[in-house]
């Protein structure tokens, strides 16, 4: 702001006050971003619960059909199709669980863990059309190099991102 200093009824001096607002602006932007992320987390939670209800109905019905397939006249091919429905249901439930894990606010943890099961779980979480065309070979050393101190859910997300990016790159290359 600008403040005039009067002397004998005339402006003798002008005092100008400057204030650094860069940090304040950054803090406001972070608050807005945090509020948006919280809204997205709430939205994801609601959507996941809404999708979970029909998935439960699908899996329950498919399980009943598989368990008493003779009552429905299911042959071996029909039973295989029901198993495919249950596999798809399980994959959808895993995706929803992963979304809920991401949406929940929790402090990062750091524990000593094996990377191999995390990498295997990450591979199962890739649901990109065409991923089945890609031959994946996981070679694991039997020494301690596969044991690290990390946050398992966050490193899982890193692996999923890396594997998804690699999948898109490979599929793009196959199309050309």
């Amino acid at each position: 702001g600008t403040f005039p200093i009067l002397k004998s009824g005339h402006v003798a001096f002008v005092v100008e006050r400057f204030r650094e607002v860069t940090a304040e602006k950054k803090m406001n932007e972070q608050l807005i971003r945090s509020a948006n992320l919280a809204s997205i987390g709430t939205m994801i939670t609601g959507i996941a619960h809404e999708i979970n209800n029909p998935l439960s109905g699908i899996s329950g019905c498919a399980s009943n059909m598989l368990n008493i397939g003779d009552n429905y006249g299911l042959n071996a091919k029909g039973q295989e199709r029901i198993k495919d429905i249950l596999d798809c249901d399980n994959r959808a439930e895993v995706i929803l669980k992963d979304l809920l894990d991401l949406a929940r606010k929790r402090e990062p943890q750091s524990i000593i863990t094996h990377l191999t099961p995390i990498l295997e779980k990450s591979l199962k979480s890739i649901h990109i059309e065409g991923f089945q065309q890609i031959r994946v070979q996981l070679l694991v050393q039997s020494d301690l190099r596969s044991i690290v101190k990390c946050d398992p859910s966050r490193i899982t997300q890193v692996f999923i991102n890396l594997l998804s990016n690699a999948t898109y790159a490979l599929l793009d290359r196959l199309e050309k």
Side-chain angles (χ1 to χ4, degrees), residues 43-98:
M43 186 176 69
I44 287 173
T45 302
I47 291 170
H49 287 299
E50 288 298 320
I51 292 174
N52 242 345
N53 291 333
L55 283 177
S56 295
I58 291 168
S59 66
C61 185
S63 293
N64 286 340
M65 290 179 75
L66 196 59
N67 291 334
I68 51 175
D70 294 337
N71 293 356
Y72 297 99
L74 287 175
N75 59 15
K77 186 69 173 172
Q79 289 178 351
E80 281 301 312
R81 289 184 176 146
I82 298 294
K83 286 179 185 173
D84 288 344
I85 290 171
L86 287 170
D87 287 344
C88 290
D89 176 76
N90 283 336
R91 283 203 333 254
E93 286 177 6
V94 167
I95 292 169
L96 288 175
K97 183 188 172 303
D98 290 345

Side-chain angles (χ1 to χ4, degrees), residues 19 23 45-46 74 99 109 118 121 141:
R19 195 176 99 203
T45 302
L74 287 175
L99 275 173
Q109 57 178 322
I118 293 173
K121 176 186 175 189
Q141 302 248 336

Side-chain angles (χ1 to χ4, degrees), residues 77-161:
K77 186 69 173 172
Q79 289 178 351
E80 281 301 312
R81 289 184 176 146
I82 298 294
K83 286 179 185 173
D84 288 344
I85 290 171
L86 287 170
D87 287 344
C88 290
D89 176 76
N90 283 336
R91 283 203 333 254
E93 286 177 6
V94 167
I95 292 169
L96 288 175
K97 183 188 172 303
D98 290 345
L99 275 173
L100 285 171
D101 287 346
L102 284 174
R104 287 189 186 108
K105 294 176 188 168
R106 62 175 186 81
E107 289 298 314
Q109 57 178 322
S110 188
I111 60 173
I112 296 173
T113 187
H114 287 272
L115 284 179
T116 305
I118 293 173
L119 190 51
E120 289 168 346
K121 176 186 175 189
S122 300
L123 280 167
K124 289 178 185 172
S125 296
I126 305 298
H127 306 287
I128 298 170
E129 188 175 330
F131 180 69
Q132 299 77 19
Q133 299 173 23
I134 299 171
R135 185 173 64 100
V136 177
Q137 187 176 9
L138 182 60
L139 301 173
V140 180
Q141 302 248 336
S142 61
D143 62 8
L144 293 178
R145 283 184 275 179
S146 67
I147 298 173
V148 295
K149 186 174 183 179
C150 66
D151 184 328
S153 66
R154 291 185 183 210
I155 200 72
T156 299
Q157 193 57 48
V158 168
F159 284 149
I160 289 171
N161 291 345

